[in-house]
Amino acid sequence: MTTASEPTTAIANPPVEALESNLLPSDVVRISATRSPPQPDRQLTKVAKLIDVSKCIGCKACQSACIEWNDTHPELEANVGLYENPHDLTPEMYTLMRFTEYENPEGDFEWLIRKDGCMHCEDPGCLKACPAPGAIVQYSNGIVDFISENCIGCGYCVTGCPFNVPRIHKTAHVAKKCTLCSDRVAVGQGPACAKACPTQAIVFGTKEEMTAHAEERIADLKSRGYENAGLYDPPGVGGTHVMYVLHHADQPALYAGLPEDPKIAPVVEGWKGPAKTVGLAAIGLAAVGAALHGLFGRANVVEPSDETAAEKLVKSGTSGPGEGA
Amino acid sequence: MKPVYSERRDHIASRQPVTVSRYRGLTRLNHWVTALSLILLALSGLALFHPLLYPLSALFGGGATVRWLHPVIGVVLFFSFLILFLQLWRLNLPRREDRVWLSHLGDVVSNHEERLPELGKYNAGQKLVFWAMAGLIVVLIVTGVMIWEEQLPLWAAQAPSLASIPARRIAVAIHALAAVAMILVFILHVYAAFWTRGTLRAMTRGTVTGGWAWRHHRKWLRELAGRQSRGPAE
Ligand code: HEM
Ligand code: SF4
Ligand code: SF4
């Protein structure tokens, strides 16, 4: 069997012959709770999904494609007068169109629609927080993937993620999120959402090409009066492998609270960094010190004279001289 | 008269040789349930605390078991300690002689007991361990419940700000720090009980020798000796 090529687009049709995966366990560059994983001898091309918010019509074909490909079963929820459906990301819904009604300074109404989901951070907070070895991995092409068989369902990744993405499955007790269709990318196909998008608001390819494509889109938007149009590829997390073209890149928070300058929270860095090393060292030293001193040090032993004194006291039947009761 | 340095049930158990009853059976059982929970919590928690210690999770049947079992034992610890606390807190209140004792810490460590003040049932070190554990358990149960992913739906709607992700980030960091402190206090506690020979039997057989009581907790012994002549024999 030949090995699948690395995909550079989502629109190509799948080949008919069976192909070997191009995304191997040996392509992993980071592993949760593992300090220095063996580094691969090859570097895959960095990939990215580009979501052009200005082209999105809110049809949710991507959501449907995601459900279908990943075979998830989001609960049917009640209509509360919003287009958002379901009401939040769930363990069964890895991507969600978030709708924001915005009145711009000119008094015009704008409908901002952002496809929420995992950003596939270059420096992933989820992976940093995770205590289970191998539950989260990052491939050299940039994809951050959750490996359910190693996941213990503790929810640390939820607190580690700067984008509020992972969700813990209530019955399977494992963390779930967008995989960037790592199983499709492995066989040369782009993500299902990008494939399904009727306006090509979602496109997929190498990170380099996607950045260049974004530049064209931004130039076009600027020429139409969106002077603050720009690319969202936040440097605080080392850049992301899911990027947005925003018409108001100066105010990302407009888009249903997209973080302005996301980074791994300092308290998470402190907890996962110095606190662990110092804590472990303190416990180790105390345990070893106490054991050694307990075995070899001079103990405090009751002397026969203490016993005699106690006997005298008890026999006298009083609390004795001195400061008794 | 209300005892000052002892519990009502503490008594001289035998006169020749002198042995003194320090903890009744229920209190000892209570203590060992607490101790066992604490050890299991430390082992299971440490498995998640540092990748080097993750193999400890195998003791419990894997990481996923640790994830649900640890907080359940935490609840057991909380209630078990609470019952212990209610029995012990009164004699652990600070007294004037505690300050003297603490200022002579050098004599404590170098075994010069004759230079220390006479003490009631607990010395200042034991009292500090008691209050440190009580405080840390409160911190651990509060932060532990906050990061208990599975039970979040129980209370998140009532206190959304405490269930928020930023609040849980802080909670997990505090939980980890408090756990380290707890383990250090625990090591100190075990070490002191072992170093001060004759102490362990207080929590196994429930009694100590008269000499031990005379040497370490003389005011306690005096009170009990005085009481035996006055009250009816227990
Ligand atoms: C008193 C009630 C307690 C509760 C409700 C509780 C709950 C939790 C929870 C929910 C976690 C996250 C992992 C999981 O889901 O199992 C955790 C982690 C942890 N717990 Fe507890 N716990 C308690 C007491 C303790 C005690 C007494 C210790 C130590 C002696 C301890 C040590 C730890 C450690 C070291 C971690 C890992 C922290 C990290 O990953 O940095 N816990 N606890
Ligand atoms: S729930 Fe998240 S942090 Fe915990 S083991 Fe699974 S992936 Fe890792
Ligand atoms: S967005 Fe969150 S879940 Fe996705 S890679 Fe970044 S930190 Fe991890």
Side-chain angles (χ1 to χ4, degrees):
Chain A
M1 234 184 331
T2 44
T3 303
S5 58
E6 293 175 50
T8 53
T9 167
I11 48 181
N13 280 324
V16 276
E17 80 272 30
L19 292 173
E20 202 100 59
S21 166
N22 69 41
L23 201 54
L24 305 172
S26 59
D27 287 315
V28 159
V29 287
R30 281 192 226 201
I31 308 178
S32 56
T34 307
R35 262 174 312 167
S36 32
Q39 286 306 298
D41 40 23
R42 65 169 183 175
Q43 166 70 47
L44 298 174
T45 319
K46 298 268 184 197
V47 294
K49 180 161 82 183
L50 181 69
I51 301 168
D52 185 345
V53 172
S54 70
K55 272 181 156 184
C56 174
I57 56 171
C59 69
K60 304 183 193 175
C62 52
Q63 274 187 234
S64 305
C66 180
I67 291 169
E68 189 177 16
W69 177 258
N70 291 299
D71 193 20
T72 58
H73 302 269
E75 232 175 285
L76 290 182
E77 292 179 344
N79 186 340
V80 294
L82 294 172
Y83 275 86
E84 264 158 50
N85 175 18
H87 307 322
D88 194 5
L89 292 171
T90 75
E92 301 270 352
M93 188 72 261
Y94 306 160
T95 188
L96 176 67
M97 307 313 293
R98 294 196 185 270
F99 296 79
T100 308
E101 296 177 4
Y102 169 58
E103 201 181 303
N104 65 25
E106 286 83 62
D108 289 333
F109 177 80
E110 289 183 30
W111 210 18
L112 307 178
I113 309 166
R114 174 168 70 89
K115 178 182 183 294
D116 196 5
C118 176
M119 300 295 287
H120 294 271
C121 308
E122 184 66 27
D123 184 13
C126 56
L127 190 147
K128 174 154 259 169
C130 176
I136 305 181
V137 298
Q138 184 180 42
Y139 294 98
S140 66
N141 63 6
I143 294 182
V144 177
D145 220 354
F146 285 9
I147 312 295
S148 291
E149 18 176 291
N150 298 329
C151 172
I152 65 171
C154 63
Y156 283 14
C157 51
V158 177
T159 57
C161 172
F163 293 96
N164 183 13
V165 165
R167 297 289 184 269
I168 307 297
H169 201 286
K170 292 282 172 272
T171 50
H173 300 294
V174 290
K176 290 288 183 187
K177 71 162 187 71
C178 156
T179 66
L180 207 68
C181 282
S182 56
D183 49 352
R184 292 174 57 88
V185 170
V187 291
Q189 294 294 298
C193 56
K195 177 117 193 167
C197 179
T199 64
Q200 286 193 48
I202 311 172
V203 288
F204 176 85
T206 67
K207 177 138 183 177
E208 208 179 311
E209 273 169 23
M210 290 302 104
T211 313
H213 178 61
E215 291 313 321
E216 284 170 33
R217 288 294 308 140
I218 291 160
D220 180 52
L221 283 169
K222 283 190 170 159
S223 74
R224 298 166 191 230
Y226 289 104
E227 54 204 57
N228 293 318
L231 179 66
Y232 186 84
D233 179 21
V237 290
T240 52
H241 294 271
V242 171
M243 308 185 290
Y244 293 111
V245 170
L246 302 176
H247 5 37
H248 308 290
D250 55 328
Q251 306 170 73
L254 283 183
Y255 302 85
L258 186 61
E260 194 93 32
D261 180 20
K263 47 169 134 7
I264 301 179
V267 53
V268 172
E269 297 271 15
W271 159 54
K272 279 289 162 174
K276 303 266 133 153
T277 324
V278 175
L280 195 61
I283 292 173
L285 283 177
V288 172
L292 287 181
H293 200 264
L295 288 177
F296 303 115
R298 196 162 58 94
N300 183 330
V301 183
V302 177
E303 321 244 338
S305 60
D306 294 319
E307 299 291 356
T308 327
E311 250 156 67
K312 217 180 286 169
L313 174 70
V314 170
K315 204 173 291 167
S316 76
T318 67
S319 51
E323 15 162 5
Chain B
M1 201 173 69
K2 202 170 156 51
V4 181
Y5 299 109
S6 60
E7 299 293 350
R8 257 176 224 290
R9 356 173 224 283
D10 298 347
H11 60 273
I12 308 290
S14 73
R15 303 173 57 116
Q16 197 75 31
V18 180
T19 57
V20 189
S21 169
R22 198 165 158 87
Y23 297 111
R24 63 180 166 159
L26 269 181
T27 309
R28 280 177 276 150
L29 178 70
N30 192 180
H31 171 269
W32 288 116
V33 169
T34 311
L36 182 69
S37 327
L38 188 63
I39 292 167
L40 293 176
L41 279 163
L43 291 174
S44 56
L46 284 174
L48 305 185
F49 179 73
H50 201 286
L52 279 178
L53 300 178
Y54 190 76
L56 284 175
S57 60
L59 292 176
F60 301 86
T65 314
V66 165
R67 182 254 309 148
W68 69 260
L69 188 60
H70 174 93
V72 170
I73 305 175
V75 173
V76 172
L77 173 81
F78 177 75
F79 285 105
S80 180
F81 188 84
L82 182 64
I83 299 170
L84 200 58
F85 178 88
L86 292 174
Q87 300 171 72
L88 305 184
W89 70 274
R90 189 178 64 90
L91 293 182
N92 274 290
L93 291 175
R95 297 187 67 89
R96 194 167 336 124
E97 57 265 31
D98 292 332
R99 203 166 323 142
V100 184
W101 189 90
L102 279 175
S103 64
H104 284 76
L105 220 50
D107 292 327
V108 175
V109 186
S110 60
N111 247 336
H112 289 294
E113 212 122 350
E114 70 284 357
R115 299 188 198 152
L116 300 172
E118 292 193 2
L119 299 172
K121 189 168 180 177
Y122 299 109
N123 65 39
Q126 292 168 304
K127 291 180 184 180
L128 281 176
V129 165
F130 176 81
W131 290 108
M133 286 195 169
L136 287 170
I137 283 178
V138 171
V139 172
L140 285 163
I141 185 97
V142 170
T143 54
V145 168
M146 282 174 72
I147 59 174
W148 195 352
E149 177 72 36
E150 212 173 334
Q151 304 304 339
L152 218 52
L154 275 187
W155 60 278
Q158 279 74 40
S161 57
L162 286 181
S164 71
I165 287 173
R168 279 151 65 198
R169 283 178 187 147
I170 296 169
V172 68
I174 294 179
H175 192 85
L177 290 177
V180 169
M182 186 66 161
I183 293 169
L184 293 177
V185 172
F186 175 77
I187 292 174
L188 178 68
H189 173 68
V190 175
Y191 175 76
F194 185 68
W195 180 71
T196 316
R197 294 290 195 276
T199 306
L200 287 177
R201 57 175 285 178
M203 269 305 166
T204 52
R205 276 180 274 175
T207 58
V208 290
T209 68
W212 183 92
W214 172 266
R215 188 177 172 91
H216 304 301
H217 302 281
R218 204 166 296 169
K219 280 184 179 170
W220 177 63
L221 181 65
R222 286 188 199 286
E223 195 168 82
L224 300 184
R227 193 149 78 210
Q228 60 163 357
S229 60
R230 247 176 274 123
E234 277 180 83

